[in-house]
Amino acid sequence: MRYFITGTAGFIGFHLARRLLREGHTVTGYDGMTAYYNLRLKEARNAGLAQFPNFTGVQAMLEDRAALEQAVDAAKPDVIIHLAAQAGVRYSLENPKAYLDSNLIGSWNIVEIARQLQIGHLMLASTSSIYGANPQVPFREMDRADEPMTFYAASKKGMELMAHSYAHLYKVPTTAFRFFTVYGPWGRPDMALFKFIKAMLADEAIEIYGEGKMSRDFTYIDDLVDSIIRLSAIAPSEDNRVSMPEGLDTLSHNAPFRVINIGGGQPIALMDFIETLEAIMGQPTKRVMLPMQQGDVPRTFASPDLLVALTGSKPMTSLEQGVKATVEWYREHYQPLAL
């Protein structure tokens, strides 16, 4: 298969591209190499992908319509997987325009090019942040998701709606997958786990928001990648509509379009997460308890039912396994990169 993946210098894009390349697929990666965090990490990920002869890397911004169109046209992909975005819930409070440019204008460029080239399957990375502070748990794809807590979440919901309209008008099969608190090796420096590890190794206090009363449905990176690859072979159509139980499937009645959670449905309390990290690192944390940050939600909790119905699997890596693998990677790679 031929894949075009945006954001291959990013955390998720790197892991997905590497897995596909190892399996013998052809991957064209597209990344703007923005300086949202230390570029040394992105460059190291790129170097890992460049070792594969069936990888082609393109450095350009999503907003550069001509460069994006040229790259996709040259790649001639069977599947486009759009992962590139301005990430970070809290940063959207400081620089909302970055989210407008990347997550809305950049994503519109992707769906427009997919229309022009009639791509066989367009896949878009959305987020659990779309559910906001939904009081109903677990979060189901059919739940109302019209009360975003941040502009980041609003931009992702806008992307989903644009993509649905294009799927309806131009019949491009489209899957929007909503992922839940992804973590693992090669993660971003601004992610909580890496901030905690870095502070603990320096014998510094960690900052715990929401007085530690939050919970998250953590998803290990390998599980997320496995789910994306399984879903890439299931382009939405009436042929794969899930009929039972009634109301489970989000396949549109007006378009080859589906939204789907990628999460294990096993939320972990923040303090349990910290205690797991302490046990693995063999040391206690120094803690600074802080109030909930603006835009944060008290919990995330995925319903994996539709994912299981379509793929026969869901994220299963235990928190202990995932955190242990991440700590081991951090000790070997992260510190030498001086991040």
Side-chain angles (χ1 to χ4, degrees):
M1 296 280 285
R2 302 178 65 86
Y3 290 84
F4 185 91
I5 303 174
T6 66
T8 44
F11 170 41
I12 296 171
F14 163 73
H15 278 276
L16 176 61
R18 186 174 63 173
R19 165 81 177 272
L20 290 169
L21 291 164
R22 285 174 172 172
E23 293 181 357
H25 301 287
T26 298
V27 175
T28 296
Y30 189 95
D31 201 292
M33 298 295 286
T34 58
Y36 172 62
Y37 56 85
N38 198 316
L39 284 175
R40 282 194 295 270
L41 181 55
K42 295 185 177 183
E43 290 164 353
R45 295 180 186 131
N46 260 349
L49 297 178
Q51 297 175 6
F52 293 89
N54 46 335
F55 176 76
T56 300
V58 178
Q59 183 175 338
M61 298 295 288
L62 286 172
E63 302 92 297
D64 187 341
R65 171 66 176 276
L68 182 60
E69 190 169 342
Q70 182 178 1
V72 178
D73 190 45
K76 294 178 171 51
D78 303 298
V79 179
I80 292 178
I81 304 179
H82 176 41
L83 297 167
Q86 177 56 61
V89 171
R90 292 171 188 140
Y91 185 61
S92 67
L93 303 176
E94 304 171 23
N95 187 10
K97 189 175 184 300
Y99 295 76
L100 173 68
D101 293 341
S102 179
N103 300 1
L104 288 172
I105 296 175
S107 296
W108 175 75
N109 282 337
I110 287 286
V111 298
E112 174 69 2
I113 290 168
R115 173 193 71 81
Q116 290 176 349
L117 300 180
Q118 282 297 296
I119 299 299
H121 192 185
L122 172 61
M123 303 186 73
L124 307 170
S126 191
T127 174
S128 63
S129 296
I130 276 180
Y131 294 108
N134 188 352
Q136 303 294 324
V137 292
F139 297 168
R140 300 187 184 280
E141 294 91 343
M142 296 296 283
D143 289 349
R144 183 168 174 262
D146 298 324
E147 298 179 355
M149 304 287 279
T150 64
F151 191 63
Y152 167 68
S155 70
K156 286 294 192 177
K157 182 63 184 290
M159 177 194 72
E160 288 187 7
L161 295 174
M162 285 193 300
H164 180 274
S165 71
Y166 265 61
H168 166 65
L169 292 169
Y170 307 113
K171 311 308 177 189
V172 177
T174 303
T175 299
F177 50 93
R178 299 171 177 172
F179 50 74
F180 286 69
T181 315
V182 187
Y183 73 102
W186 293 100
R188 302 197 318 260
D190 63 321
M191 298 171 74
L193 179 54
F194 288 99
K195 293 169 72 173
F196 290 171
I197 296 171
K198 183 177 182 179
M200 291 173 72
L201 290 174
D203 198 30
E204 297 172 352
I206 65 172
E207 296 180 334
I208 302 175
Y209 292 98
E211 305 291 342
K213 297 176 182 177
M214 297 186 293
S215 63
R216 293 289 183 267
D217 203 340
F218 291 97
T219 307
Y220 187 60
I221 183 62
D222 289 355
D223 291 336
L224 178 72
V225 166
D226 183 69
S227 293
I228 293 172
I229 292 174
R230 288 172 183 264
L231 288 170
S232 72
I234 309 172
S237 76
E238 285 296 333
D239 292 339
N240 54 46
R241 181 182 291 278
V242 177
S243 58
M244 295 293 290
E246 187 67 27
L248 176 64
D249 202 349
T250 58
L251 180 66
S252 171
H253 292 287
N254 302 300
F257 178 93
R258 177 184 277 123
V259 295
I260 184 165
N261 291 336
I262 300 182
Q266 295 181 317
I268 304 292
L270 179 56
M271 298 312 299
D272 291 341
F273 177 78
I274 291 169
E275 289 172 5
T276 298
L277 177 60
E278 289 175 327
I280 289 168
M281 294 193 66
Q283 67 183 84
T285 55
K286 297 177 180 178
R287 306 175 183 182
V288 176
M289 308 302 285
L290 298 170
M292 185 86 76
Q293 284 197 314
Q294 188 178 16
D296 264 351
V297 296
R299 61 186 173 183
T300 62
F301 186 170
S303 166
D305 293 346
L306 179 55
L307 179 65
V308 172
L310 287 168
T311 69
S313 70
K314 66 177 182 177
M316 292 292 292
T317 301
S318 70
L319 185 67
E320 292 77 9
Q321 290 174 301
V323 171
K324 184 175 185 292
T326 306
V327 169
E328 290 174 350
W329 177 86
Y330 188 103
R331 292 182 184 276
E332 182 178 353
H333 295 281
Y334 218 79
Q335 289 180 296
L337 288 171
L339 299 168

PDB file of all heavy atoms in Angstrom, residues 210-242:
ATOM      1  N   GLY A 210      -5.596  20.295  39.111  1.00  0.00           N
ATOM      2  CA  GLY A 210      -6.885  19.778  39.542  1.00  0.00           C
ATOM      3  C   GLY A 210      -6.819  19.101  40.896  1.00  0.00           C
ATOM      4  O   GLY A 210      -7.672  18.258  41.204  1.00  0.00           O
ATOM      5  N   GLU A 211      -5.784  19.450  41.686  1.00  0.00           N
ATOM      6  CA  GLU A 211      -5.585  18.835  42.998  1.00  0.00           C
ATOM      7  C   GLU A 211      -5.486  17.311  42.902  1.00  0.00           C
ATOM      8  O   GLU A 211      -5.764  16.587  43.854  1.00  0.00           O
ATOM      9  CB  GLU A 211      -6.714  19.226  43.966  1.00  0.00           C
ATOM     10  CG  GLU A 211      -6.923  20.722  44.130  1.00  0.00           C
ATOM     11  CD  GLU A 211      -5.763  21.412  44.866  1.00  0.00           C
ATOM     12  OE1 GLU A 211      -4.988  20.698  45.526  1.00  0.00           O
ATOM     13  OE2 GLU A 211      -5.645  22.650  44.763  1.00  0.00           O
ATOM     14  N   GLY A 212      -5.107  16.825  41.716  1.00  0.00           N
ATOM     15  CA  GLY A 212      -4.939  15.384  41.528  1.00  0.00           C
ATOM     16  C   GLY A 212      -6.233  14.613  41.389  1.00  0.00           C
ATOM     17  O   GLY A 212      -6.223  13.379  41.412  1.00  0.00           O
ATOM     18  N   LYS A 213      -7.350  15.299  41.191  1.00  0.00           N
ATOM     19  CA  LYS A 213      -8.647  14.635  41.163  1.00  0.00           C
ATOM     20  C   LYS A 213      -9.129  14.302  39.749  1.00  0.00           C
ATOM     21  O   LYS A 213     -10.271  13.892  39.557  1.00  0.00           O
ATOM     22  CB  LYS A 213      -9.688  15.503  41.869  1.00  0.00           C
ATOM     23  CG  LYS A 213      -9.369  15.716  43.358  1.00  0.00           C
ATOM     24  CD  LYS A 213     -10.358  16.664  44.017  1.00  0.00           C
ATOM     25  CE  LYS A 213      -9.991  16.903  45.478  1.00  0.00           C
ATOM     26  NZ  LYS A 213     -10.895  17.872  46.138  1.00  0.00           N
ATOM     27  N   MET A 214      -8.268  14.475  38.773  1.00  0.00           N
ATOM     28  CA  MET A 214      -8.635  14.176  37.391  1.00  0.00           C
ATOM     29  C   MET A 214      -8.361  12.713  37.060  1.00  0.00           C
ATOM     30  O   MET A 214      -7.606  12.038  37.760  1.00  0.00           O
ATOM     31  CB  MET A 214      -7.850  15.076  36.433  1.00  0.00           C
ATOM     32  CG  MET A 214      -8.142  16.561  36.600  1.00  0.00           C
ATOM     33  SD  MET A 214      -7.328  17.573  35.332  1.00  0.00           S
ATOM     34  CE  MET A 214      -5.605  17.360  35.771  1.00  0.00           C
ATOM     35  N   SER A 215      -8.951  12.239  35.965  1.00  0.00           N
ATOM     36  CA  SER A 215      -8.649  10.899  35.459  1.00  0.00           C
ATOM     37  C   SER A 215      -8.598  10.954  33.943  1.00  0.00           C
ATOM     38  O   SER A 215      -9.256  11.794  33.319  1.00  0.00           O
ATOM     39  CB  SER A 215      -9.691   9.875  35.927  1.00  0.00           C
ATOM     40  OG  SER A 215     -10.970  10.185  35.415  1.00  0.00           O
ATOM     41  N   ARG A 216      -7.812  10.053  33.366  1.00  0.00           N
ATOM     42  CA  ARG A 216      -7.635  10.031  31.917  1.00  0.00           C
ATOM     43  C   ARG A 216      -7.654   8.587  31.418  1.00  0.00           C
ATOM     44  O   ARG A 216      -7.181   7.670  32.093  1.00  0.00           O
ATOM     45  CB  ARG A 216      -6.304  10.681  31.506  1.00  0.00           C
ATOM     46  CG  ARG A 216      -6.218  12.191  31.777  1.00  0.00           C
ATOM     47  CD  ARG A 216      -7.111  12.956  30.834  1.00  0.00           C
ATOM     48  NE  ARG A 216      -7.011  14.401  31.005  1.00  0.00           N
ATOM     49  CZ  ARG A 216      -7.805  15.129  31.794  1.00  0.00           C
ATOM     50  NH1 ARG A 216      -8.755  14.519  32.510  1.00  0.00           N
ATOM     51  NH2 ARG A 216      -7.671  16.431  31.866  1.00  0.00           N
ATOM     52  N   ASP A 217      -8.174   8.411  30.208  1.00  0.00           N
ATOM     53  CA  ASP A 217      -8.162   7.119  29.537  1.00  0.00           C
ATOM     54  C   ASP A 217      -6.877   7.067  28.713  1.00  0.00           C
ATOM     55  O   ASP A 217      -6.838   7.504  27.564  1.00  0.00           O
ATOM     56  CB  ASP A 217      -9.398   6.988  28.638  1.00  0.00           C
ATOM     57  CG  ASP A 217      -9.768   5.546  28.351  1.00  0.00           C
ATOM     58  OD1 ASP A 217      -8.899   4.675  28.516  1.00  0.00           O
ATOM     59  OD2 ASP A 217     -10.917   5.304  27.953  1.00  0.00           O
ATOM     60  N   PHE A 218      -5.807   6.560  29.312  1.00  0.00           N
ATOM     61  CA  PHE A 218      -4.490   6.561  28.679  1.00  0.00           C
ATOM     62  C   PHE A 218      -4.414   5.493  27.586  1.00  0.00           C
ATOM     63  O   PHE A 218      -4.886   4.367  27.761  1.00  0.00           O
ATOM     64  CB  PHE A 218      -3.397   6.312  29.717  1.00  0.00           C
ATOM     65  CG  PHE A 218      -3.214   7.440  30.692  1.00  0.00           C
ATOM     66  CD1 PHE A 218      -3.828   7.410  31.940  1.00  0.00           C
ATOM     67  CD2 PHE A 218      -2.438   8.537  30.363  1.00  0.00           C
ATOM     68  CE1 PHE A 218      -3.664   8.448  32.842  1.00  0.00           C
ATOM     69  CE2 PHE A 218      -2.266   9.581  31.257  1.00  0.00           C
ATOM     70  CZ  PHE A 218      -2.882   9.544  32.497  1.00  0.00           C
ATOM     71  N   THR A 219      -3.781   5.859  26.462  1.00  0.00           N
ATOM     72  CA  THR A 219      -3.632   4.950  25.325  1.00  0.00           C
ATOM     73  C   THR A 219      -2.160   4.855  24.959  1.00  0.00           C
ATOM     74  O   THR A 219      -1.539   5.860  24.603  1.00  0.00           O
ATOM     75  CB  THR A 219      -4.420   5.448  24.104  1.00  0.00           C
ATOM     76  OG1 THR A 219      -5.775   5.694  24.483  1.00  0.00           O
ATOM     77  CG2 THR A 219      -4.371   4.433  22.973  1.00  0.00           C
ATOM     78  N   TYR A 220      -1.599   3.650  25.020  1.00  0.00           N
ATOM     79  CA  TYR A 220      -0.197   3.463  24.660  1.00  0.00           C
ATOM     80  C   TYR A 220      -0.038   3.575  23.148  1.00  0.00           C
ATOM     81  O   TYR A 220      -0.887   3.107  22.381  1.00  0.00           O
ATOM     82  CB  TYR A 220       0.299   2.110  25.160  1.00  0.00           C
ATOM     83  CG  TYR A 220       1.790   1.905  24.987  1.00  0.00           C
ATOM     84  CD1 TYR A 220       2.699   2.762  25.594  1.00  0.00           C
ATOM     85  CD2 TYR A 220       2.276   0.862  24.205  1.00  0.00           C
ATOM     86  CE1 TYR A 220       4.062   2.587  25.437  1.00  0.00           C
ATOM     87  CE2 TYR A 220       3.637   0.674  24.047  1.00  0.00           C
ATOM     88  CZ  TYR A 220       4.530   1.544  24.660  1.00  0.00           C
ATOM     89  OH  TYR A 220       5.880   1.377  24.488  1.00  0.00           O
ATOM     90  N   ILE A 221       1.043   4.179  22.716  1.00  0.00           N
ATOM     91  CA  ILE A 221       1.237   4.526  21.317  1.00  0.00           C
ATOM     92  C   ILE A 221       1.137   3.319  20.387  1.00  0.00           C
ATOM     93  O   ILE A 221       0.543   3.407  19.307  1.00  0.00           O
ATOM     94  CB  ILE A 221       2.584   5.266  21.119  1.00  0.00           C
ATOM     95  CG1 ILE A 221       2.769   5.690  19.666  1.00  0.00           C
ATOM     96  CG2 ILE A 221       3.753   4.432  21.609  1.00  0.00           C
ATOM     97  CD1 ILE A 221       1.748   6.656  19.141  1.00  0.00           C
ATOM     98  N   ASP A 222       1.682   2.179  20.761  1.00  0.00           N
ATOM     99  CA  ASP A 222       1.624   1.002  19.876  1.00  0.00           C
ATOM    100  C   ASP A 222       0.193   0.549  19.652  1.00  0.00           C
ATOM    101  O   ASP A 222      -0.167   0.081  18.558  1.00  0.00           O
ATOM    102  CB  ASP A 222       2.444  -0.151  20.458  1.00  0.00           C
ATOM    103  CG  ASP A 222       3.941   0.105  20.396  1.00  0.00           C
ATOM    104  OD1 ASP A 222       4.354   1.127  19.812  1.00  0.00           O
ATOM    105  OD2 ASP A 222       4.709  -0.720  20.936  1.00  0.00           O
ATOM    106  N   ASP A 223      -0.642   0.674  20.679  1.00  0.00           N
ATOM    107  CA  ASP A 223      -2.050   0.309  20.545  1.00  0.00           C
ATOM    108  C   ASP A 223      -2.765   1.257  19.586  1.00  0.00           C
ATOM    109  O   ASP A 223      -3.598   0.833  18.772  1.00  0.00           O
ATOM    110  CB  ASP A 223      -2.746   0.339  21.906  1.00  0.00           C
ATOM    111  CG  ASP A 223      -2.279  -0.758  22.840  1.00  0.00           C
ATOM    112  OD1 ASP A 223      -1.794  -1.784  22.341  1.00  0.00           O
ATOM    113  OD2 ASP A 223      -2.404  -0.592  24.065  1.00  0.00           O
ATOM    114  N   LEU A 224      -2.469   2.546  19.705  1.00  0.00           N
ATOM    115  CA  LEU A 224      -3.080   3.519  18.801  1.00  0.00           C
ATOM    116  C   LEU A 224      -2.708   3.228  17.358  1.00  0.00           C
ATOM    117  O   LEU A 224      -3.565   3.198  16.467  1.00  0.00           O
ATOM    118  CB  LEU A 224      -2.647   4.935  19.175  1.00  0.00           C
ATOM    119  CG  LEU A 224      -3.186   6.033  18.259  1.00  0.00           C
ATOM    120  CD1 LEU A 224      -4.668   6.257  18.486  1.00  0.00           C
ATOM    121  CD2 LEU A 224      -2.417   7.335  18.433  1.00  0.00           C
ATOM    122  N   VAL A 225      -1.421   2.992  17.115  1.00  0.00           N
ATOM    123  CA  VAL A 225      -0.951   2.710  15.757  1.00  0.00           C
ATOM    124  C   VAL A 225      -1.624   1.459  15.204  1.00  0.00           C
ATOM    125  O   VAL A 225      -2.061   1.428  14.049  1.00  0.00           O
ATOM    126  CB  VAL A 225       0.582   2.571  15.741  1.00  0.00           C
ATOM    127  CG1 VAL A 225       1.076   1.936  14.448  1.00  0.00           C
ATOM    128  CG2 VAL A 225       1.231   3.936  15.943  1.00  0.00           C
ATOM    129  N   ASP A 226      -1.730   0.434  16.022  1.00  0.00           N
ATOM    130  CA  ASP A 226      -2.383  -0.803  15.574  1.00  0.00           C
ATOM    131  C   ASP A 226      -3.827  -0.536  15.162  1.00  0.00           C
ATOM    132  O   ASP A 226      -4.295  -1.034  14.126  1.00  0.00           O
ATOM    133  CB  ASP A 226      -2.330  -1.846  16.688  1.00  0.00           C
ATOM    134  CG  ASP A 226      -2.927  -3.179  16.254  1.00  0.00           C
ATOM    135  OD1 ASP A 226      -2.314  -3.842  15.406  1.00  0.00           O
ATOM    136  OD2 ASP A 226      -4.003  -3.544  16.763  1.00  0.00           O
ATOM    137  N   SER A 227      -4.525   0.260  15.938  1.00  0.00           N
ATOM    138  CA  SER A 227      -5.926   0.562  15.623  1.00  0.00           C
ATOM    139  C   SER A 227      -6.041   1.368  14.330  1.00  0.00           C
ATOM    140  O   SER A 227      -6.938   1.120  13.507  1.00  0.00           O
ATOM    141  CB  SER A 227      -6.577   1.327  16.776  1.00  0.00           C
ATOM    142  OG  SER A 227      -6.686   0.518  17.933  1.00  0.00           O
ATOM    143  N   ILE A 228      -5.147   2.342  14.142  1.00  0.00           N
ATOM    144  CA  ILE A 228      -5.194   3.154  12.921  1.00  0.00           C
ATOM    145  C   ILE A 228      -4.981   2.278  11.693  1.00  0.00           C
ATOM    146  O   ILE A 228      -5.683   2.399  10.686  1.00  0.00           O
ATOM    147  CB  ILE A 228      -4.137   4.273  12.979  1.00  0.00           C
ATOM    148  CG1 ILE A 228      -4.475   5.287  14.073  1.00  0.00           C
ATOM    149  CG2 ILE A 228      -4.047   4.988  11.625  1.00  0.00           C
ATOM    150  CD1 ILE A 228      -3.382   6.315  14.320  1.00  0.00           C
ATOM    151  N   ILE A 229      -4.005   1.372  11.770  1.00  0.00           N
ATOM    152  CA  ILE A 229      -3.710   0.510  10.623  1.00  0.00           C
ATOM    153  C   ILE A 229      -4.889  -0.419  10.339  1.00  0.00           C
ATOM    154  O   ILE A 229      -5.272  -0.631   9.178  1.00  0.00           O
ATOM    155  CB  ILE A 229      -2.414  -0.283  10.872  1.00  0.00           C
ATOM    156  CG1 ILE A 229      -1.215   0.672  10.878  1.00  0.00           C
ATOM    157  CG2 ILE A 229      -2.225  -1.364   9.816  1.00  0.00           C
ATOM    158  CD1 ILE A 229       0.090   0.020  11.261  1.00  0.00           C
ATOM    159  N   ARG A 230      -5.489  -0.975  11.384  1.00  0.00           N
ATOM    160  CA  ARG A 230      -6.668  -1.827  11.176  1.00  0.00           C
ATOM    161  C   ARG A 230      -7.804  -1.038  10.516  1.00  0.00           C
ATOM    162  O   ARG A 230      -8.471  -1.523   9.596  1.00  0.00           O
ATOM    163  CB  ARG A 230      -7.139  -2.412  12.508  1.00  0.00           C
ATOM    164  CG  ARG A 230      -6.218  -3.496  13.080  1.00  0.00           C
ATOM    165  CD  ARG A 230      -6.660  -3.878  14.487  1.00  0.00           C
ATOM    166  NE  ARG A 230      -5.781  -4.861  15.097  1.00  0.00           N
ATOM    167  CZ  ARG A 230      -5.996  -6.175  15.093  1.00  0.00           C
ATOM    168  NH1 ARG A 230      -7.083  -6.653  14.519  1.00  0.00           N
ATOM    169  NH2 ARG A 230      -5.154  -6.988  15.678  1.00  0.00           N
ATOM    170  N   LEU A 231      -8.020   0.186  10.986  1.00  0.00           N
ATOM    171  CA  LEU A 231      -9.102   0.999  10.435  1.00  0.00           C
ATOM    172  C   LEU A 231      -8.807   1.460   9.015  1.00  0.00           C
ATOM    173  O   LEU A 231      -9.740   1.715   8.236  1.00  0.00           O
ATOM    174  CB  LEU A 231      -9.343   2.221  11.335  1.00  0.00           C
ATOM    175  CG  LEU A 231     -10.014   1.949  12.679  1.00  0.00           C
ATOM    176  CD1 LEU A 231      -9.968   3.188  13.554  1.00  0.00           C
ATOM    177  CD2 LEU A 231     -11.459   1.493  12.482  1.00  0.00           C
ATOM    178  N   SER A 232      -7.527   1.584   8.666  1.00  0.00           N
ATOM    179  CA  SER A 232      -7.190   2.054   7.315  1.00  0.00           C
ATOM    180  C   SER A 232      -7.706   1.097   6.247  1.00  0.00           C
ATOM    181  O   SER A 232      -7.933   1.499   5.103  1.00  0.00           O
ATOM    182  CB  SER A 232      -5.675   2.244   7.179  1.00  0.00           C
ATOM    183  OG  SER A 232      -4.994   0.995   7.139  1.00  0.00           O
ATOM    184  N   ALA A 233      -7.912  -0.156   6.613  1.00  0.00           N
ATOM    185  CA  ALA A 233      -8.423  -1.150   5.671  1.00  0.00           C
ATOM    186  C   ALA A 233      -9.948  -1.194   5.647  1.00  0.00           C
ATOM    187  O   ALA A 233     -10.532  -2.004   4.927  1.00  0.00           O
ATOM    188  CB  ALA A 233      -7.880  -2.539   6.028  1.00  0.00           C
ATOM    189  N   ILE A 234     -10.593  -0.308   6.435  1.00  0.00           N
ATOM    190  CA  ILE A 234     -12.060  -0.324   6.533  1.00  0.00           C
ATOM    191  C   ILE A 234     -12.583   1.052   6.129  1.00  0.00           C
ATOM    192  O   ILE A 234     -13.027   1.848   6.961  1.00  0.00           O
ATOM    193  CB  ILE A 234     -12.517  -0.687   7.965  1.00  0.00           C
ATOM    194  CG1 ILE A 234     -11.830  -1.964   8.454  1.00  0.00           C
ATOM    195  CG2 ILE A 234     -14.036  -0.862   8.026  1.00  0.00           C
ATOM    196  CD1 ILE A 234     -12.079  -2.286   9.908  1.00  0.00           C
ATOM    197  N   ALA A 235     -12.483   1.355   4.849  1.00  0.00           N
ATOM    198  CA  ALA A 235     -13.014   2.624   4.355  1.00  0.00           C
ATOM    199  C   ALA A 235     -14.528   2.637   4.541  1.00  0.00           C
ATOM    200  O   ALA A 235     -15.212   1.689   4.149  1.00  0.00           O
ATOM    201  CB  ALA A 235     -12.658   2.806   2.884  1.00  0.00           C
ATOM    202  N   PRO A 236     -15.093   3.667   5.155  1.00  0.00           N
ATOM    203  CA  PRO A 236     -16.523   3.673   5.464  1.00  0.00           C
ATOM    204  C   PRO A 236     -17.413   3.478   4.232  1.00  0.00           C
ATOM    205  O   PRO A 236     -17.228   4.138   3.203  1.00  0.00           O
ATOM    206  CB  PRO A 236     -16.742   5.064   6.064  1.00  0.00           C
ATOM    207  CG  PRO A 236     -15.409   5.440   6.623  1.00  0.00           C
ATOM    208  CD  PRO A 236     -14.414   4.873   5.668  1.00  0.00           C
ATOM    209  N   SER A 237     -18.348   2.555   4.352  1.00  0.00           N
ATOM    210  CA  SER A 237     -19.336   2.322   3.297  1.00  0.00           C
ATOM    211  C   SER A 237     -20.485   1.529   3.903  1.00  0.00           C
ATOM    212  O   SER A 237     -20.374   0.974   5.003  1.00  0.00           O
ATOM    213  CB  SER A 237     -18.734   1.550   2.123  1.00  0.00           C
ATOM    214  OG  SER A 237     -18.590   0.183   2.440  1.00  0.00           O
ATOM    215  N   GLU A 238     -21.575   1.465   3.189  1.00  0.00           N
ATOM    216  CA  GLU A 238     -22.721   0.695   3.665  1.00  0.00           C
ATOM    217  C   GLU A 238     -22.379  -0.787   3.799  1.00  0.00           C
ATOM    218  O   GLU A 238     -23.024  -1.518   4.554  1.00  0.00           O
ATOM    219  CB  GLU A 238     -23.918   0.873   2.723  1.00  0.00           C
ATOM    220  CG  GLU A 238     -24.613   2.218   2.859  1.00  0.00           C
ATOM    221  CD  GLU A 238     -25.250   2.417   4.232  1.00  0.00           C
ATOM    222  OE1 GLU A 238     -25.613   1.410   4.889  1.00  0.00           O
ATOM    223  OE2 GLU A 238     -25.383   3.572   4.654  1.00  0.00           O
ATOM    224  N   ASP A 239     -21.352  -1.232   3.084  1.00  0.00           N
ATOM    225  CA  ASP A 239     -20.944  -2.639   3.147  1.00  0.00           C
ATOM    226  C   ASP A 239     -20.402  -3.026   4.520  1.00  0.00           C
ATOM    227  O   ASP A 239     -20.413  -4.208   4.889  1.00  0.00           O
ATOM    228  CB  ASP A 239     -19.874  -2.942   2.090  1.00  0.00           C
ATOM    229  CG  ASP A 239     -20.423  -2.858   0.679  1.00  0.00           C
ATOM    230  OD1 ASP A 239     -21.653  -2.965   0.524  1.00  0.00           O
ATOM    231  OD2 ASP A 239     -19.624  -2.666  -0.254  1.00  0.00           O
ATOM    232  N   ASN A 240     -19.880  -2.046   5.282  1.00  0.00           N
ATOM    233  CA  ASN A 240     -19.343  -2.379   6.598  1.00  0.00           C
ATOM    234  C   ASN A 240     -20.076  -1.660   7.732  1.00  0.00           C
ATOM    235  O   ASN A 240     -19.526  -1.484   8.818  1.00  0.00           O
ATOM    236  CB  ASN A 240     -17.825  -2.121   6.667  1.00  0.00           C
ATOM    237  CG  ASN A 240     -17.431  -0.713   6.251  1.00  0.00           C
ATOM    238  OD1 ASN A 240     -18.042   0.265   6.673  1.00  0.00           O
ATOM    239  ND2 ASN A 240     -16.399  -0.609   5.419  1.00  0.00           N
ATOM    240  N   ARG A 241     -21.324  -1.273   7.485  1.00  0.00           N
ATOM    241  CA  ARG A 241     -22.106  -0.678   8.571  1.00  0.00           C
ATOM    242  C   ARG A 241     -22.338  -1.726   9.658  1.00  0.00           C
ATOM    243  O   ARG A 241     -22.710  -2.865   9.371  1.00  0.00           O
ATOM    244  CB  ARG A 241     -23.454  -0.158   8.059  1.00  0.00           C
ATOM    245  CG  ARG A 241     -24.293   0.485   9.180  1.00  0.00           C
ATOM    246  CD  ARG A 241     -25.641   0.948   8.681  1.00  0.00           C
ATOM    247  NE  ARG A 241     -25.550   2.084   7.778  1.00  0.00           N
ATOM    248  CZ  ARG A 241     -25.439   3.350   8.181  1.00  0.00           C
ATOM    249  NH1 ARG A 241     -25.398   3.628   9.474  1.00  0.00           N
ATOM    250  NH2 ARG A 241     -25.370   4.321   7.296  1.00  0.00           N
ATOM    251  N   VAL A 242     -22.130  -1.331  10.906  1.00  0.00           N
ATOM    252  CA  VAL A 242     -22.378  -2.209  12.046  1.00  0.00           C
ATOM    253  C   VAL A 242     -23.855  -2.086  12.411  1.00  0.00           C
ATOM    254  O   VAL A 242     -24.320  -1.015  12.799  1.00  0.00           O
ATOM    255  CB  VAL A 242     -21.494  -1.830  13.250  1.00  0.00           C
ATOM    256  CG1 VAL A 242     -21.811  -2.707  14.454  1.00  0.00           C
ATOM    257  CG2 VAL A 242     -20.019  -1.933  12.884  1.00  0.00           C
TER     258      VAL A 242
END
